[in-house]
DNA sequence: CATGAATGAGCGTTCATTCAT
DNA sequence: AATGAATGAACGCTCATTCAT
């Protein structure tokens, strides 16, 4: 009875550990080569298991891709969701920029997976883009518009401002190779400098004088 | 004798026409699926010829990819190269932003191809990144630094400023699907709005008061 | 001690029940797709158990196949074995035809499995074909030959007569789909009509005038 | 110009030769193992070419199967179609039986393919079974019924009579292994004996006295 | 220049079988 | 007696590339 419980727990742990290993391997491969360019062979090898065993956990390539994407999308939305209407515009924008830069630094593969999916047409996340993503951008755009109306921010199209923040912060994950090539090769402070530069330009450009 | 010459000229013209058709088809396919995800079948069909004939012009997939990339890189560099030391900082930055937005609007596939290559690690353009690209960024960074030293621009890390402009302008090509989903679906003025927003924020943020 | 005995009995009963379920499932799948076309997955699902558990009872696909075949062969032989030398030829042939038609009606899968195995070359039942089957056919052929010699049956090659009966009766199981398509679609009396037709033609053709 | 024509002819011949080789190989493999049990590897090897080259001619397994089936069905129907209303019943039935036995002798694989398809449910030929096949059986049944009405044949259900002829004649192709095992092993006259036996039983059983 | 024919390597996926529990 | 986890081999099919013409 007890044995059985332990054995079941052990089994569950194995399953969880393997699922995590697979998702991580899949993230790294899908993000680098896109859906079509990625191969299960490479993912399986990175996850340290045979291809059929990988398919035991995710029975098709597509379902694995979707699983990885879903995890990524949730992470991706979180920082924007945290932007509060009743906060100080400078603080809120600053915090958002920092959070996004932190994501680029700490989980660049997630950013690249998202970029790759969009580059390739976004077919797998059409619903996400037109649903939750558009909804939250609409909501936060209203907040920014209110700040502008209240004179707490200089006039700017809120959606394009959000695009600017997305683009500039994600650039350090998605275009990492280019960034490294242009900067002194082992500039480990690049994320801090990036964050400062973006915050400075955006805030100086938008805060009232 | 004369016939032969005419025939040679004809052949050459055919060759040129076909090369162009192939490069265009290849650009659209490589940019949509990445190097590994693209297939010669799809490119050949888009170029209106058989696969063996395509391989007559570019004997391997890689060489076709490199040829497309090289065309793209040259285009990509041109606007930055046009930034002049003796111009007005506001004009020069403004013009650069506009030129890059125009590229995103008029040739989004080129932008996406470049993004895709970098996402995949940039192995095919390592030399370009560390050579001509780094060189020109270094050169233009010196110009910006001079502007700052002369008090014509507020202090900012020149390289990260350049990254900001790249990121924000290319975003409208690379993330087109996302941009369309977030904006009112048929917002045909998005490139103009983008250009205005970016210029406003960057210039207001950086021009001396 | 007693507990153990009960438990052993219980285990045995379970084993028997499961074996039956497996054999039945296997019969339906093997007969539908042939040995190579059948999958253990499908058999296990039909038998209501996991694939490894199925393999606990029959450790390889082949051994399961052979087990099902053997059950089928025994059934298959029984009616012919029942043909008696001292009976009336008309009665004996009539009874044999009826018994075979009944088999086709009541257990068409068995007939199809046998047909499938023979179609595939009969490798799994070579010994059966050249051993018991040939022996019983030889024996019954002698009976028929005696009937002919005694003037109770008109001259006919006994073996080919047996083939005729096999072929015509099994046809209603093996070619069921075709038979249904040709007849009015829900002709439920087809087995009775078949039996009558075969008996009439064979007996009228062979009984002395 | 002439060269071109020759070359085109050569190419066409190659194609035809290969198609024939493939169809023949496919017939032998599909007829032995059924659709699911057959493998392209085996067919390709038998046809003397690589698997991708086989798929160059028939781009999917299913299309190859359908091609083989269609050839077979046409052959299969021909003898029945030849049965004439204004002929003598004895002659017509006799000729039909002979023609079918000849098919079993000369192209047993075709017969087996058909049997295999029907055994496995006939999904690929549903339309054939309910369309042309049923139509021709209906037509010929009417002829037989007319013979009976005219007193030229004793009463019998025409459709079941046709089934009898099908079953008995095809038996020598479909159950060849069994037939060989039961008969003296190298009985090369089995087709002649079969034909005689079937004709005798059927005609004696059905012709008026 | 152009293409039909051909193939080795590899793709996503299935399958019979094994192992540990 | 039963099953989750695992895998080598093979399956149908695709791909970049070659060859002959």
């Amino acid at each position: 009875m007890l044995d059985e419980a332990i054995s079941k727990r052990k089994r569950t742990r194995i399953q969880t550990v393997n699922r995590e290993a697979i998702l991580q391997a899949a993230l790294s491969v899908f993000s680098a080569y896109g859906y079509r360019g990625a191969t299960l062979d490479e993912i399986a090898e990175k996850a340290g298991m045979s291809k059929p065993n990988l398919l035991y956990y995710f029975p098709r390539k597509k379902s694995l891709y979707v699983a990885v994407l879903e995890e990524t999308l949730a992470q991706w939305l979180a920082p924007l969701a945290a932007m509060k209407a009743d906060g100080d515009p400078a603080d809120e924008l600053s915090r958002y920029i920092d959070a996004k830069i932190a994501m680029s630094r700490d989980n660049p593969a997630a950013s690249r997976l998202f970029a790759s999916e969009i580059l390739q047409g976004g077919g797998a996340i059409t619903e996400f883009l037109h649903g939750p993503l558009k909804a939250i951008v609409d909501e936060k755009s209203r907040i920014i518009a209110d700040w502008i109306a209240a004179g707490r921010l200089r006039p700017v199209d809120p959606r394009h401002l959000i695009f600017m923040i997305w683009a500039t912060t994600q650039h350090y994950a998605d275009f990492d190779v280019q960034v490294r090539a242009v900067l002194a090769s082992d500039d480990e402070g690049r994320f801090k400098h990036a964050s400062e530069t973006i915050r400075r330009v955006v805030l100086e450009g938008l805060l009232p004088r």
Side-chain angles (χ1 to χ4, degrees), chain A:
Chain A
M1 197 66 183
L2 188 65
D3 270 21
E4 213 177 274
I6 287 176
S7 155
K8 204 170 267 178
R9 217 177 303 145
K10 202 182 278 179
R11 232 182 285 141
T12 307
R13 210 185 52 235
I14 288 175
Q15 216 166 7
T16 305
V17 166
N18 277 344
R19 271 188 67 99
E20 285 308 312
I22 292 170
L23 288 170
Q24 192 179 325
L27 174 58
S28 91
V29 176
F30 280 130
S31 70
Y33 301 112
Y35 177 70
R36 281 179 27 166
T39 72
L40 294 184
D41 273 305
E42 199 168 339
I43 296 172
E45 199 191 0
K46 274 209 169 139
M49 67 184 60
S50 70
K51 204 168 28 161
N53 200 26
L54 184 161
L55 287 161
Y56 172 77
Y57 290 90
F58 295 91
R60 4 222 98 234
K61 189 188 187 184
K62 192 104 211 175
S63 63
L64 174 54
Y65 185 62
V66 167
V68 182
L69 259 182
E70 271 168 7
E71 283 214 351
T72 301
L73 297 180
Q75 273 181 49
W76 200 93
L77 272 189
L80 183 54
M83 196 159 90
K84 298 276 185 258
D86 52 4
D88 177 56
D91 285 354
E92 294 296 326
L93 291 176
S94 202
R95 207 170 329 173
Y96 184 45
I97 291 166
D98 273 357
K100 290 284 288 174
I101 282 283
M103 276 188 58
S104 282
R105 184 190 58 226
D106 300 335
N107 198 358
S111 182
R112 278 183 213 129
L113 177 70
F114 188 68
S116 168
E117 168 59 23
I118 301 232
L119 265 178
Q120 310 205 358
I125 55 171
T126 311
E127 286 177 27
F128 169 80
L129 295 176
H130 289 87
L133 180 70
K134 180 166 179 10
I136 202 171
V137 170
D138 285 346
E139 181 198 334
K140 301 306 175 183
S141 293
R142 245 173 284 123
I143 295 179
I144 294 173
D146 287 347
W147 286 338
I148 294 170
R152 305 174 70 189
L153 214 60
R154 301 175 63 189
V156 69
D157 184 318
R159 281 170 189 79
H160 289 280
L161 171 59
I162 292 175
F163 292 156
M164 276 197 80
I165 297 176
W166 288 350
T168 50
T169 53
Q170 290 164 203
H171 189 79
Y172 291 87
D174 303 346
F175 288 74
D176 181 56
V177 167
Q178 190 184 25
V179 167
R180 284 169 186 267
V182 165
L183 298 179
S185 57
D186 37 8
D187 176 356
E188 282 308 319
R190 66 187 185 281
F191 291 102
K192 220 180 65 180
H193 294 147
S195 175
E196 277 162 15
T197 302
I198 298 168
R199 270 168 22 219
R200 183 176 315 161
V201 172
V202 169
L203 295 183
E204 299 271 355
L206 291 179
L207 291 184
R209 306 272 153 86

